[in-house]
């Protein structure tokens, strides 16, 4: 059997400990499948003495991630520190510049600096892999980059954040409100103490921008993802959606948008209404799922655990097995120099159906005011429900679903209502996910 | 850009025409992703003059597949002729012996001769790839072989035959009976004129045996798959399952079975009752779906079109892109010499819940006879329904669901009832799919 592939591990949180456990537990089968053993030689983390449930004594220790990346007895550095810049990025640059392969679960860094790192890796002819950065244990980057590589993709979309999906499906099951369920998610370890990145959609947007680059041969453009989160959702929205035949899920969508002979890239993360008969409507708890629509494959669905030490370690080690087998390849499927700089697509001309929810003052004439604005902007209303008290002082919930029309019309209607004293808070708009 | 990869196509049915259309339509992006163009140079089929909706004039023609496989201007032969032996197998052997890569969608041939071909390919250091042989356009072989390669698999199971799934989900939606829906499936092209391989489970068993070999590092053992089909299912079974919270799906299941320090391989294709809250319960129409349970990844689900020219072509060309990129690798994930010859696992000691349906004569005492046999065999009944007339002369349907227990007890109960004049036909047994 060939020489072992020697791994250095930077970062020893739950995922790092998971990678150690996986490589130890499955050592024999990994060696058989990879054609050579995969062994951890060196480890670096902030605190050497912290209890992690794994025995670190077989491994050399480096306090400094940069020194780790430069060690001559290391073939691949696995970075599990996190953070888009700082030590993680310095470690990535040093690793690649030292001619070593680099594997990471760091979605923020790849979303912000993936192109620079891929260009460096291609120049150095070393592997840069980040399967674990998107959708945890689901091999979706491999699915797009290789399994469905024969296709032009028409759309890629999915549930990319397990925390949000846990919160939404728990709100659905229990009828409880957002803040309440968030607290539970934090207590159960499904949400961070500071949940901002998750609940505001930033984490999903990081992942979406990576998927979009691979699917559409475009430069990663995280800054252009139109992102909104789930914090404004109420139990009443979930109940309304249910009565209309939908569940609410935070969906990231990316698709090429052709107009006037120019291709633009549309990227959005937003809560959507998903019809009961869509596969994503049955994705519950902390699960992730990605749909890729290829021009020959049709709709492909990849589903599994979106986070957690085991699933994330599974994705990290899949990358290591690829490297052990000699698979290097372009990190974004095509060489960085061939990735197109697609301008962001505006959403106004997109056609679809929308759910619009208002919290309004409980007084006569409000409904007439809202429906007049819709009429004036050319928004056609399919159904409308006005729900007694929404639980707070004198507030009433008005929820409507529109017929299909341009998103610009809804924007215009809301502009007409902007500043109206009838509205107790800004309206909430969610798209209905089309089939 | 590097030299083109030169493809010869053997077989020009709908999938062959799909491969030509795909390679022509997506030529530019395939070249970008593969790092080199993929071009068809030569074609072979039985009838050169048949209309196929694609222009064959750019391609050289060979009447003989063996001559095709020997041509020096060919790097890869794609075989889409079908059949486990005969011309397809001769073509495969000649291709590999000529030092060329071989790609096929032929599940029957891989199930029967995959080990021989893989051994030849490994000796010749050429690629043998068959992503399209299992679950059409879904990259599930890649998913097991690479995406989830870090895992020991605990179970692999799924919906592997689109024809059966179309029939079952249509029976479910319409309340119609098997024969009636089969006729419709044949008229709509979802079922062959001779549907035997599909409806008796043989096609699913071919695919299951291939997946099991890859997942468990075992030699392909198609002959040991315990296979039953869907032809005996009645509308009344679907209705009963529905009232209990289940749908019926033809499921292939494979898992390692450890006893007395010996690992055996359990493989079964059988209609199962699938609980509404399981992802496979929502797989409708001609869709396929495969679940792989890894010891670190947890449950991964791959879902998509299980057949059709576009999806199958997508899988074939994904294999070609891999070959163009230089990915050879062991066809069954580990070298053939390392695949274990696992003996087949008996089912008797397996524990589970079963649905048992009897068609009985409409006369007193029958139910007492059946329940006595269950008692004597130690089968505990959870629920039992006796449904008036089942539509035919004096026949009554008795359906029961058992508590969890060994399968051997159910077998013993049915043995006690064997030959009883009360039973109008042999009982039908289906397992309940566990989570």
């Amino acid at each position: 059997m060939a020489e072992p592939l020697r791994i250095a591990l930077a970062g020893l949180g739950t995922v790092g400990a998971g990678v150690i456990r996986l490589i130890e537990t499955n050592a024999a089968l990994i060696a058989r499948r990879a054609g050579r053993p995969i062994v951890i030689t060196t480890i670096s983390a902030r605190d050497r003495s912290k209890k992690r449930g794994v025995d670190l004594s077989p491994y050399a220790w480096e306090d400094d991630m940069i020194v780790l990346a430069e060690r001559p007895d290391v073939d691949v550095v696995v970075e599990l520190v996190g953070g888009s810049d700082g030590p993680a990025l310095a470690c990535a640059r040093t690793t690649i510049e030292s001619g070593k392969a680099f594997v990471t679960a760091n979605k923020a860094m790849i979303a912000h600096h993936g192109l620079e790192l891929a260009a460096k890796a291609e120049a150095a002819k070393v592997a840069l892999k980040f399967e674990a950065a998107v959708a945890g244990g689901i091999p979706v980057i491999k699915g797009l980059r290789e399994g469905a590589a024969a296709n032009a993709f028409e759309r890629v979309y999915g549930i990319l954040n397990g925390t949000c999906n846990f919160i939404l499906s728990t709100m659905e099951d229990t009828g409880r409100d957002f803040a309440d369920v968030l607290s539970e998610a934090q207590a159960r370890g499904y949400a961070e103490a500071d949940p901002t990145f998750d609940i505001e959609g930033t984490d999903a947007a990081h992942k979406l921008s990576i998927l979009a680059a691979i699917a559409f041969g475009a430069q990663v453009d995280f800054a252009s993802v139109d992102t909104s989160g789930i914090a404004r959702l109420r139990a009443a929205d979930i109940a309304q959606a249910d009565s209309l035949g939908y569940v609410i899920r935070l969906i990231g969508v990316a698709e090429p948008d052709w107009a006037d002979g120019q291709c633009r890239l549309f990227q959005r993360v937003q809560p959507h209404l998903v019809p009961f008969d869509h596969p994503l409507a049955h994705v519950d708890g902390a699960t992730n799922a990605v749909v890729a629509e290829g021009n020959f494959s049709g709709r492909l669905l990849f589903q599994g655990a979106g986070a957690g030490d085991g699933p994330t370690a599974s994705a990290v080690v899949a990358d290591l097995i690829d490297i052990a087998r000699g698979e290097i390849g372009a990190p974004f499927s095509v060489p960085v120099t061939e990735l197109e700089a697609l301008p962001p697509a505006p959403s106004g001309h997109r056609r679809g159906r929308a759910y619009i929810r208002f919290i309004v003052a409980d007084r006569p004439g409000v409904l007439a005011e809202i429906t007049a604005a819709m009429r004036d902007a050319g928004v056609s209303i399919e159904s409308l429900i006005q729900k007694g008290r929404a639980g707070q002082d004198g507030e009433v919930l008005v929820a409507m679903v529109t017929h299909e029309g341009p998103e610009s019309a809804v924007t215009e209607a809301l502009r007409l209502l902007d500043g109206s004293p009838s509205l107790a808070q800004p309206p909430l708009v969610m798209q209905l996910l089309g089939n």
Side-chain angles (χ1 to χ4, degrees), chain A:
Chain A
M1 189 168 279
E3 289 292 294
L5 186 74
R6 299 164 303 175
I7 312 299
L9 209 53
L12 270 182
T14 55
V15 174
V19 169
I20 294 177
R21 263 196 308 276
L22 197 171
I23 288 180
E24 290 177 352
T25 307
N26 292 350
L29 75 85
I30 290 171
R32 230 172 17 244
R33 291 181 186 158
R36 55 200 280 208
I38 293 179
V39 296
I40 297 169
T41 60
T42 317
I43 283 175
S44 174
R46 261 188 303 208
D47 179 0
R48 189 168 185 174
S49 59
K50 190 175 155 193
K51 287 263 179 289
R52 296 178 172 93
V54 289
D55 175 14
L56 301 181
S57 63
Y59 312 116
W61 182 273
E62 290 285 358
D63 286 315
D64 185 333
M65 282 168 62
I66 302 301
V67 177
L68 182 87
E70 289 170 333
R71 276 178 74 118
D73 60 351
V74 164
D75 302 311
V76 189
V77 173
V78 174
E79 180 270 313
L80 301 168
V81 170
S84 62
D85 297 276
L89 184 59
C91 176
R93 287 176 175 148
T94 305
T95 301
I96 294 168
E97 284 160 7
S98 308
K100 298 177 176 67
F102 186 78
V103 171
T104 182
N106 189 332
K107 54 223 74 166
M109 181 172 73
I110 297 299
H112 286 282
H113 304 288
L115 293 181
E116 176 211 317
L117 295 176
K120 284 192 161 66
E122 289 169 18
K125 297 195 191 331
V126 297
L128 165 66
K129 290 186 175 283
F130 40 82
E131 183 64 75
V134 179
I138 313 171
V140 63
I141 289 185
K142 219 170 173 58
L144 296 180
R145 214 180 145 268
E146 304 176 30
N151 293 274
F153 293 102
E154 287 154 5
R155 186 164 61 144
V156 171
Y157 61 103
I159 293 169
L160 297 169
N161 184 275
T163 303
C164 288
N165 211 61
F166 173 83
I167 292 172
L168 291 174
S169 59
T170 305
M171 287 174 73
E172 194 177 298
D173 291 344
T174 61
R176 286 154 55 199
D177 240 318
F178 174 78
D180 184 21
V181 175
L182 173 60
S183 304
E184 184 198 323
Q186 288 171 313
R188 292 179 55 175
Y190 287 129
E192 308 273 350
D194 176 0
T196 315
F197 258 43
D198 290 317
I199 66 173
E200 292 192 349
T202 312
D203 174 78
H206 283 147
K207 296 166 179 168
L208 183 71
S209 68
I210 297 169
L211 288 180
I214 294 169
F216 307 117
Q219 293 178 9
V220 186
D221 186 9
F222 165 68
S224 299
V225 183
D226 174 17
T227 305
S228 51
I230 63 167
R232 295 186 56 216
L233 285 171
R234 296 184 172 202
D237 293 311
I238 308 239
Q240 280 313 311
D242 181 72
S243 71
L244 294 163
Y246 296 84
V247 298
I248 299 178
R249 291 288 180 270
L250 183 71
I251 305 280
V253 188
E255 61 187 323
D257 181 328
W258 283 91
D260 312 322
Q262 161 82 56
C263 184
R264 293 182 174 79
L265 180 59
F266 177 75
Q267 301 180 94
R268 175 151 65 191
V269 170
Q270 190 189 67
H272 280 67
L273 271 67
V274 180
F276 288 160
D277 66 355
H278 192 288
L280 294 188
H282 306 284
V283 178
D284 296 323
T287 305
N288 279 197
V290 177
V291 177
E293 294 174 351
N295 65 339
F296 279 77
S297 64
R299 182 202 275 173
L300 293 171
L301 171 73
F302 302 86
Q303 183 173 323
D309 55 341
T312 309
S314 168
V316 166
V317 179
D319 280 348
L320 296 176
I321 292 173
D322 255 9
I323 292 168
R325 286 169 168 166
E327 207 286 307
I328 293 186
F332 290 97
S333 184
V334 304
V336 170
T337 52
E338 294 179 34
L339 292 171
E340 292 182 82
L342 297 183
S347 61
H349 69 281
R350 293 176 61 83
R351 295 183 64 81
R353 298 169 64 206
Y355 169 97
I356 313 171
R357 181 260 283 162
F358 303 88
I359 304 293
V360 300
D362 186 10
R363 61 182 191 213
V366 172
L367 204 54
E369 184 186 347
I370 291 174
T371 53
M374 294 293 154
R375 177 200 61 211
D376 294 345
V379 175
S380 171
I381 299 170
E382 182 185 293
S383 65
L384 183 150
I385 297 172
Q386 183 168 200
K387 285 291 254 194
R389 308 268 160 150
Q392 277 143 38
D393 309 330
E395 287 183 353
V396 171
L397 182 142
V398 175
M400 61 177 67
V401 169
T402 71
H403 280 117
E404 186 176 308
E407 294 190 14
S408 57
V410 171
T411 308
E412 171 61 11
L414 301 188
R415 194 193 61 77
L416 293 174
L417 290 165
D418 193 30
S420 161
S422 303
L423 304 193
Q425 52 170 266
L428 177 72
V429 180
M430 294 186 278
Q431 303 302 311
L432 275 58
L433 184 68
N435 269 309

